mmCIF file of all heavy atoms in Angstrom:
data_model
loop_
_atom_site.group_PDB
_atom_site.id
_atom_site.type_symbol
_atom_site.label_atom_id
_atom_site.label_comp_id
_atom_site.label_asym_id
_atom_site.label_seq_id
_atom_site.Cartn_x
_atom_site.Cartn_y
_atom_site.Cartn_z
ATOM 1 N N SER A 1 -7.141 -8.357 -18.815
ATOM 2 C CA SER A 1 -6.272 -8.015 -19.862
ATOM 3 C C SER A 1 -5.423 -6.679 -19.558
ATOM 4 O O SER A 1 -4.675 -6.202 -20.385
ATOM 5 C CB SER A 1 -7.018 -7.768 -21.165
ATOM 6 O OG SER A 1 -7.937 -6.706 -21.020
ATOM 7 N N LEU A 2 -5.565 -6.179 -18.373
ATOM 8 C CA LEU A 2 -4.955 -4.949 -17.974
ATOM 9 C C LEU A 2 -3.957 -5.273 -16.812
ATOM 10 O O LEU A 2 -4.175 -4.872 -15.651
ATOM 11 C CB LEU A 2 -5.996 -3.847 -17.549
ATOM 12 C CG LEU A 2 -6.939 -3.462 -18.580
ATOM 13 C CD1 LEU A 2 -7.948 -2.559 -18.006
ATOM 14 C CD2 LEU A 2 -6.233 -2.824 -19.770
ATOM 15 N N ALA A 3 -2.908 -5.948 -17.121
ATOM 16 C CA ALA A 3 -2.008 -6.434 -16.107
ATOM 17 C C ALA A 3 -1.418 -5.373 -15.231
ATOM 18 O O ALA A 3 -1.350 -5.509 -13.997
ATOM 19 C CB ALA A 3 -0.824 -7.209 -16.736
ATOM 20 N N ARG A 4 -0.957 -4.241 -15.813
ATOM 21 C CA ARG A 4 -0.290 -3.203 -14.965
ATOM 22 C C ARG A 4 -1.327 -2.524 -14.095
ATOM 23 O O ARG A 4 -1.019 -2.155 -12.957
ATOM 24 C CB ARG A 4 0.383 -2.247 -15.891
ATOM 25 C CG ARG A 4 -0.547 -1.529 -16.873
ATOM 26 C CD ARG A 4 0.220 -0.661 -17.844
ATOM 27 N NE ARG A 4 -0.672 -0.192 -18.916
ATOM 28 C CZ ARG A 4 -0.363 0.639 -19.755
ATOM 29 N NH1 ARG A 4 0.751 1.209 -19.849
ATOM 30 N NH2 ARG A 4 -1.249 0.963 -20.663
ATOM 31 N N GLN A 5 -2.621 -2.433 -14.468
ATOM 32 C CA GLN A 5 -3.579 -1.862 -13.656
ATOM 33 C C GLN A 5 -3.972 -2.826 -12.523
ATOM 34 O O GLN A 5 -4.304 -2.428 -11.428
ATOM 35 C CB GLN A 5 -4.823 -1.387 -14.449
ATOM 36 C CG GLN A 5 -5.789 -0.570 -13.666
ATOM 37 C CD GLN A 5 -6.838 0.149 -14.491
ATOM 38 O OE1 GLN A 5 -6.695 0.283 -15.648
ATOM 39 N NE2 GLN A 5 -7.917 0.493 -13.789
ATOM 40 N N GLU A 6 -4.043 -4.081 -12.750
ATOM 41 C CA GLU A 6 -4.259 -5.045 -11.752
ATOM 42 C C GLU A 6 -3.275 -4.933 -10.603
ATOM 43 O O GLU A 6 -3.644 -4.942 -9.438
ATOM 44 C CB GLU A 6 -4.177 -6.515 -12.296
ATOM 45 C CG GLU A 6 -5.308 -6.970 -13.168
ATOM 46 C CD GLU A 6 -5.149 -8.303 -13.807
ATOM 47 O OE1 GLU A 6 -3.978 -8.716 -13.971
ATOM 48 O OE2 GLU A 6 -6.123 -8.944 -14.042
ATOM 49 N N ILE A 7 -2.036 -4.845 -10.962
ATOM 50 C CA ILE A 7 -0.954 -4.778 -9.967
ATOM 51 C C ILE A 7 -1.053 -3.404 -9.225
ATOM 52 O O ILE A 7 -0.829 -3.343 -8.010
ATOM 53 C CB ILE A 7 0.487 -4.960 -10.565
ATOM 54 C CG1 ILE A 7 0.517 -6.403 -11.206
ATOM 55 C CG2 ILE A 7 1.615 -4.736 -9.541
ATOM 56 C CD1 ILE A 7 0.271 -7.465 -10.269
ATOM 57 N N ALA A 8 -1.324 -2.339 -9.982
ATOM 58 C CA ALA A 8 -1.505 -1.017 -9.331
ATOM 59 C C ALA A 8 -2.623 -0.971 -8.320
ATOM 60 O O ALA A 8 -2.514 -0.409 -7.265
ATOM 61 C CB ALA A 8 -1.783 0.009 -10.437
ATOM 62 N N GLU A 9 -3.735 -1.630 -8.677
ATOM 63 C CA GLU A 9 -4.903 -1.720 -7.784
ATOM 64 C C GLU A 9 -4.588 -2.503 -6.505
ATOM 65 O O GLU A 9 -5.032 -2.241 -5.468
ATOM 66 C CB GLU A 9 -6.145 -2.124 -8.469
ATOM 67 C CG GLU A 9 -6.644 -1.127 -9.345
ATOM 68 C CD GLU A 9 -8.069 -1.411 -9.941
ATOM 69 O OE1 GLU A 9 -8.828 -2.188 -9.262
ATOM 70 O OE2 GLU A 9 -8.388 -0.860 -10.956
ATOM 71 N N LEU A 10 -3.701 -3.585 -6.678
ATOM 72 C CA LEU A 10 -3.286 -4.312 -5.509
ATOM 73 C C LEU A 10 -2.508 -3.422 -4.621
ATOM 74 O O LEU A 10 -2.701 -3.458 -3.388
ATOM 75 C CB LEU A 10 -2.412 -5.513 -6.013
ATOM 76 C CG LEU A 10 -1.705 -6.291 -4.901
ATOM 77 C CD1 LEU A 10 -2.751 -7.040 -4.051
ATOM 78 C CD2 LEU A 10 -0.747 -7.230 -5.481
ATOM 79 N N PHE A 11 -1.574 -2.616 -5.144
ATOM 80 C CA PHE A 11 -0.774 -1.751 -4.272
ATOM 81 C C PHE A 11 -1.622 -0.607 -3.701
ATOM 82 O O PHE A 11 -1.409 -0.261 -2.567
ATOM 83 C CB PHE A 11 0.455 -1.103 -5.050
ATOM 84 C CG PHE A 11 1.477 -2.164 -5.287
ATOM 85 C CD1 PHE A 11 1.902 -2.476 -6.600
ATOM 86 C CD2 PHE A 11 2.101 -2.841 -4.286
ATOM 87 C CE1 PHE A 11 2.931 -3.334 -6.866
ATOM 88 C CE2 PHE A 11 3.148 -3.720 -4.467
ATOM 89 C CZ PHE A 11 3.505 -4.076 -5.797
ATOM 90 N N LEU A 12 -2.642 -0.156 -4.455
ATOM 91 C CA LEU A 12 -3.546 0.827 -3.923
ATOM 92 C C LEU A 12 -4.342 0.322 -2.696
ATOM 93 O O LEU A 12 -4.472 0.929 -1.674
ATOM 94 C CB LEU A 12 -4.577 1.311 -4.987
ATOM 95 C CG LEU A 12 -5.617 2.233 -4.579
ATOM 96 C CD1 LEU A 12 -4.961 3.591 -4.218
ATOM 97 C CD2 LEU A 12 -6.619 2.448 -5.735
ATOM 98 N N VAL A 13 -4.843 -0.925 -2.792
ATOM 99 C CA VAL A 13 -5.513 -1.492 -1.662
ATOM 100 C C VAL A 13 -4.597 -1.748 -0.474
ATOM 101 O O VAL A 13 -4.956 -1.601 0.687
ATOM 102 C CB VAL A 13 -6.240 -2.856 -2.077
ATOM 103 C CG1 VAL A 13 -6.727 -3.568 -0.914
ATOM 104 C CG2 VAL A 13 -7.379 -2.553 -3.021
ATOM 105 N N LEU A 14 -3.359 -2.205 -0.802
ATOM 106 C CA LEU A 14 -2.378 -2.304 0.315
ATOM 107 C C LEU A 14 -2.116 -0.968 0.964
ATOM 108 O O LEU A 14 -2.026 -0.935 2.243
ATOM 109 C CB LEU A 14 -1.046 -2.881 -0.217
ATOM 110 C CG LEU A 14 -1.129 -4.347 -0.656
ATOM 111 C CD1 LEU A 14 0.267 -4.765 -1.348
ATOM 112 C CD2 LEU A 14 -1.373 -5.297 0.515
ATOM 113 N N LEU A 15 -2.077 0.099 0.199
ATOM 114 C CA LEU A 15 -1.869 1.404 0.858
ATOM 115 C C LEU A 15 -3.122 1.819 1.711
ATOM 116 O O LEU A 15 -2.978 2.362 2.874
ATOM 117 C CB LEU A 15 -1.759 2.478 -0.232
ATOM 118 C CG LEU A 15 -0.306 2.542 -0.863
ATOM 119 C CD1 LEU A 15 -0.372 3.389 -2.144
ATOM 120 C CD2 LEU A 15 0.675 3.172 0.142
ATOM 121 N N ILE A 16 -4.274 1.560 1.239
ATOM 122 C CA ILE A 16 -5.535 1.779 2.038
ATOM 123 C C ILE A 16 -5.575 0.986 3.257
ATOM 124 O O ILE A 16 -5.971 1.426 4.386
ATOM 125 C CB ILE A 16 -6.747 1.655 1.122
ATOM 126 C CG1 ILE A 16 -6.762 2.679 0.030
ATOM 127 C CG2 ILE A 16 -7.998 1.777 1.974
ATOM 128 C CD1 ILE A 16 -7.840 2.447 -1.016
ATOM 129 N N MET A 17 -5.085 -0.296 3.116
ATOM 130 C CA MET A 17 -5.056 -1.188 4.385
ATOM 131 C C MET A 17 -4.098 -0.545 5.347
ATOM 132 O O MET A 17 -4.353 -0.696 6.562
ATOM 133 C CB MET A 17 -4.635 -2.568 3.950
ATOM 134 C CG MET A 17 -5.720 -3.376 3.254
ATOM 135 S SD MET A 17 -5.138 -4.968 2.659
ATOM 136 C CE MET A 17 -4.840 -5.841 4.189
ATOM 137 N N LEU A 18 -2.958 0.006 4.898
ATOM 138 C CA LEU A 18 -2.079 0.569 5.908
ATOM 139 C C LEU A 18 -2.684 1.824 6.557
ATOM 140 O O LEU A 18 -2.410 2.084 7.726
ATOM 141 C CB LEU A 18 -0.801 1.102 5.193
ATOM 142 C CG LEU A 18 0.278 0.012 4.804
ATOM 143 C CD1 LEU A 18 1.341 0.639 4.036
ATOM 144 C CD2 LEU A 18 0.815 -0.594 6.128
ATOM 145 N N MET A 19 -3.552 2.583 5.810
ATOM 146 C CA MET A 19 -4.190 3.646 6.422
ATOM 147 C C MET A 19 -5.174 3.328 7.505
ATOM 148 O O MET A 19 -5.328 4.099 8.514
ATOM 149 C CB MET A 19 -4.952 4.474 5.400
ATOM 150 C CG MET A 19 -4.052 5.197 4.349
ATOM 151 S SD MET A 19 -5.095 6.040 3.206
ATOM 152 C CE MET A 19 -3.865 6.621 2.078
ATOM 153 N N VAL A 20 -5.822 2.162 7.425
ATOM 154 C CA VAL A 20 -6.736 1.820 8.502
ATOM 155 C C VAL A 20 -6.123 0.866 9.514
ATOM 156 O O VAL A 20 -6.834 0.533 10.481
ATOM 157 C CB VAL A 20 -8.011 1.154 7.847
ATOM 158 C CG1 VAL A 20 -8.700 2.130 6.957
ATOM 159 C CG2 VAL A 20 -7.721 -0.165 7.129
ATOM 160 N N ALA A 21 -4.931 0.483 9.297
ATOM 161 C CA ALA A 21 -4.280 -0.463 10.194
ATOM 162 C C ALA A 21 -3.918 0.325 11.544
ATOM 163 O O ALA A 21 -3.587 1.378 11.545
ATOM 164 C CB ALA A 21 -2.943 -0.954 9.669
ATOM 165 N N ARG A 22 -4.251 -0.382 12.681
ATOM 166 C CA ARG A 22 -4.015 0.214 13.938
ATOM 167 C C ARG A 22 -2.843 -0.347 14.691
ATOM 168 O O ARG A 22 -2.314 0.169 15.614
ATOM 169 C CB ARG A 22 -5.240 0.055 14.830
ATOM 170 C CG ARG A 22 -6.405 0.814 14.184
ATOM 171 C CD ARG A 22 -7.663 0.677 15.110
ATOM 172 N NE ARG A 22 -8.790 1.171 14.483
ATOM 173 C CZ ARG A 22 -9.942 0.624 14.338
ATOM 174 N NH1 ARG A 22 -10.159 -0.545 14.905
ATOM 175 N NH2 ARG A 22 -10.925 1.137 13.712
ATOM 176 N N ASN A 23 -2.432 -1.583 14.381
ATOM 177 C CA ASN A 23 -1.418 -2.304 15.189
ATOM 178 C C ASN A 23 -0.049 -2.365 14.599
ATOM 179 O O ASN A 23 0.792 -3.145 15.053
ATOM 180 C CB ASN A 23 -1.958 -3.694 15.501
ATOM 181 C CG ASN A 23 -2.267 -4.473 14.228
ATOM 182 O OD1 ASN A 23 -2.220 -3.894 13.151
ATOM 183 N ND2 ASN A 23 -2.624 -5.768 14.387
ATOM 184 N N ILE A 24 0.221 -1.539 13.582
ATOM 185 C CA ILE A 24 1.576 -1.582 12.917
ATOM 186 C C ILE A 24 2.349 -0.414 13.501
ATOM 187 O O ILE A 24 1.829 0.740 13.608
ATOM 188 C CB ILE A 24 1.400 -1.394 11.399
ATOM 189 C CG1 ILE A 24 0.642 -2.580 10.829
ATOM 190 C CG2 ILE A 24 2.779 -1.310 10.716
ATOM 191 C CD1 ILE A 24 0.405 -2.477 9.335
ATOM 192 N N PRO A 25 3.573 -0.650 13.969
ATOM 193 C CA PRO A 25 4.422 0.442 14.434
ATOM 194 C C PRO A 25 4.618 1.531 13.480
ATOM 195 O O PRO A 25 4.582 1.294 12.197
ATOM 196 C CB PRO A 25 5.767 -0.231 14.758
ATOM 197 C CG PRO A 25 5.438 -1.627 14.881
ATOM 198 C CD PRO A 25 4.307 -1.953 13.970
ATOM 199 N N ARG A 26 4.740 2.723 13.878
ATOM 200 C CA ARG A 26 4.789 3.943 12.980
ATOM 201 C C ARG A 26 5.866 3.869 11.961
ATOM 202 O O ARG A 26 5.670 4.194 10.822
ATOM 203 C CB ARG A 26 4.893 5.151 13.852
ATOM 204 C CG ARG A 26 4.516 6.424 13.143
ATOM 205 C CD ARG A 26 4.580 7.594 14.166
ATOM 206 N NE ARG A 26 4.045 8.747 13.546
ATOM 207 C CZ ARG A 26 2.799 9.240 13.756
ATOM 208 N NH1 ARG A 26 2.111 8.592 14.675
ATOM 209 N NH2 ARG A 26 2.315 10.317 13.200
ATOM 210 N N THR A 27 7.108 3.409 12.308
ATOM 211 C CA THR A 27 8.227 3.358 11.340
ATOM 212 C C THR A 27 7.929 2.274 10.326
ATOM 213 O O THR A 27 8.260 2.413 9.140
ATOM 214 C CB THR A 27 9.532 3.094 12.074
ATOM 215 O OG1 THR A 27 9.439 1.951 12.919
ATOM 216 C CG2 THR A 27 9.898 4.292 12.973
ATOM 217 N N THR A 28 7.388 1.152 10.737
ATOM 218 C CA THR A 28 7.006 0.078 9.777
ATOM 219 C C THR A 28 5.929 0.553 8.858
ATOM 220 O O THR A 28 6.038 0.329 7.606
ATOM 221 C CB THR A 28 6.588 -1.182 10.542
ATOM 222 O OG1 THR A 28 7.649 -1.565 11.455
ATOM 223 C CG2 THR A 28 6.389 -2.331 9.584
ATOM 224 N N ASN A 29 5.010 1.227 9.389
ATOM 225 C CA ASN A 29 3.853 1.759 8.564
ATOM 226 C C ASN A 29 4.337 2.752 7.537
ATOM 227 O O ASN A 29 4.032 2.658 6.349
ATOM 228 C CB ASN A 29 2.892 2.405 9.439
ATOM 229 C CG ASN A 29 1.555 2.647 8.754
ATOM 230 O OD1 ASN A 29 1.474 2.755 7.520
ATOM 231 N ND2 ASN A 29 0.517 2.687 9.558
ATOM 232 N N PHE A 30 5.309 3.643 7.894
ATOM 233 C CA PHE A 30 5.860 4.636 7.019
ATOM 234 C C PHE A 30 6.709 3.924 5.910
ATOM 235 O O PHE A 30 6.596 4.325 4.800
ATOM 236 C CB PHE A 30 6.745 5.639 7.804
ATOM 237 C CG PHE A 30 7.357 6.630 6.866
ATOM 238 C CD1 PHE A 30 6.616 7.729 6.350
ATOM 239 C CD2 PHE A 30 8.724 6.553 6.564
ATOM 240 C CE1 PHE A 30 7.212 8.592 5.512
ATOM 241 C CE2 PHE A 30 9.307 7.461 5.750
ATOM 242 C CZ PHE A 30 8.526 8.497 5.238
ATOM 243 N N THR A 31 7.497 2.976 6.312
ATOM 244 C CA THR A 31 8.360 2.204 5.389
ATOM 245 C C THR A 31 7.455 1.522 4.327
ATOM 246 O O THR A 31 7.733 1.596 3.081
ATOM 247 C CB THR A 31 9.291 1.275 6.032
ATOM 248 O OG1 THR A 31 10.048 1.881 6.989
ATOM 249 C CG2 THR A 31 10.169 0.559 5.066
ATOM 250 N N LEU A 32 6.466 0.788 4.781
ATOM 251 C CA LEU A 32 5.570 0.083 3.894
ATOM 252 C C LEU A 32 4.800 1.100 3.008
ATOM 253 O O LEU A 32 4.539 0.866 1.801
ATOM 254 C CB LEU A 32 4.584 -0.704 4.643
ATOM 255 C CG LEU A 32 5.199 -1.995 5.229
ATOM 256 C CD1 LEU A 32 4.201 -2.689 6.151
ATOM 257 C CD2 LEU A 32 5.741 -2.975 4.231
ATOM 258 N N PHE A 33 4.482 2.219 3.582
ATOM 259 C CA PHE A 33 3.721 3.278 2.785
ATOM 260 C C PHE A 33 4.567 3.774 1.639
ATOM 261 O O PHE A 33 4.091 3.937 0.558
ATOM 262 C CB PHE A 33 3.348 4.387 3.748
ATOM 263 C CG PHE A 33 2.319 5.323 3.163
ATOM 264 C CD1 PHE A 33 0.899 4.977 3.284
ATOM 265 C CD2 PHE A 33 2.609 6.494 2.577
ATOM 266 C CE1 PHE A 33 -0.032 5.784 2.803
ATOM 267 C CE2 PHE A 33 1.641 7.324 2.019
ATOM 268 C CZ PHE A 33 0.358 6.994 2.138
ATOM 269 N N VAL A 34 5.817 4.015 1.879
ATOM 270 C CA VAL A 34 6.836 4.463 0.851
ATOM 271 C C VAL A 34 6.967 3.352 -0.186
ATOM 272 O O VAL A 34 6.968 3.617 -1.386
ATOM 273 C CB VAL A 34 8.160 4.878 1.442
ATOM 274 C CG1 VAL A 34 9.192 5.068 0.413
ATOM 275 C CG2 VAL A 34 7.955 6.112 2.292
ATOM 276 N N VAL A 35 7.164 2.094 0.198
ATOM 277 C CA VAL A 35 7.354 0.995 -0.714
ATOM 278 C C VAL A 35 6.121 0.803 -1.602
ATOM 279 O O VAL A 35 6.281 0.692 -2.772
ATOM 280 C CB VAL A 35 7.721 -0.303 0.038
ATOM 281 C CG1 VAL A 35 7.664 -1.454 -0.891
ATOM 282 C CG2 VAL A 35 9.150 -0.149 0.701
ATOM 283 N N PHE A 36 4.956 0.688 -0.957
ATOM 284 C CA PHE A 36 3.715 0.525 -1.717
ATOM 285 C C PHE A 36 3.406 1.683 -2.606
ATOM 286 O O PHE A 36 2.870 1.545 -3.721
ATOM 287 C CB PHE A 36 2.550 0.213 -0.820
ATOM 288 C CG PHE A 36 2.655 -1.122 -0.103
ATOM 289 C CD1 PHE A 36 2.064 -1.289 1.138
ATOM 290 C CD2 PHE A 36 3.417 -2.177 -0.522
ATOM 291 C CE1 PHE A 36 2.106 -2.460 1.835
ATOM 292 C CE2 PHE A 36 3.586 -3.356 0.099
ATOM 293 C CZ PHE A 36 2.915 -3.528 1.283
ATOM 294 N N GLY A 37 3.652 2.902 -2.085
ATOM 295 C CA GLY A 37 3.421 4.088 -2.926
ATOM 296 C C GLY A 37 4.309 4.167 -4.169
ATOM 297 O O GLY A 37 3.847 4.457 -5.242
ATOM 298 N N ALA A 38 5.621 3.795 -3.956
ATOM 299 C CA ALA A 38 6.508 3.793 -5.123
ATOM 300 C C ALA A 38 6.075 2.664 -6.083
ATOM 301 O O ALA A 38 6.153 2.800 -7.359
ATOM 302 C CB ALA A 38 7.944 3.610 -4.718
ATOM 303 N N SER A 39 5.716 1.527 -5.538
ATOM 304 C CA SER A 39 5.260 0.401 -6.399
ATOM 305 C C SER A 39 4.011 0.811 -7.191
ATOM 306 O O SER A 39 3.847 0.412 -8.287
ATOM 307 C CB SER A 39 4.971 -0.802 -5.501
ATOM 308 O OG SER A 39 6.164 -1.208 -4.843
ATOM 309 N N LEU A 40 3.114 1.538 -6.526
ATOM 310 C CA LEU A 40 1.910 1.989 -7.244
ATOM 311 C C LEU A 40 2.370 2.941 -8.379
ATOM 312 O O LEU A 40 1.810 2.842 -9.530
ATOM 313 C CB LEU A 40 0.983 2.704 -6.301
ATOM 314 C CG LEU A 40 -0.233 3.461 -6.886
ATOM 315 C CD1 LEU A 40 -1.181 2.439 -7.497
ATOM 316 C CD2 LEU A 40 -0.913 4.311 -5.835
#
């Protein structure tokens, strides 16, 4: 029943996944970090 928090936690997990990712180029990682952070 908490739709906005469900989506926020999805973006939070995506941000954490970016933090532990090793094979993503730095510019792509930064771009995704900004997009997921703003989405959060």
Side-chain angles (χ1 to χ4, degrees):
S1 62
L2 302 172
R4 57 188 172 170
Q5 192 167 340
E6 287 177 332
I7 300 303
E9 288 190 23
L10 172 68
F11 287 122
L12 178 64
V13 169
L14 289 172
L15 282 166
I16 294 170
M17 286 175 67
L18 280 176
M19 289 179 188
V20 299
R22 296 184 188 132
N23 55 353
I24 299 177
R26 199 175 190 103
T27 54
T28 305
N29 196 333
F30 178 76
T31 304
L32 289 173
F33 197 83
V34 169
V35 169
F36 294 155
S39 299
L40 174 65

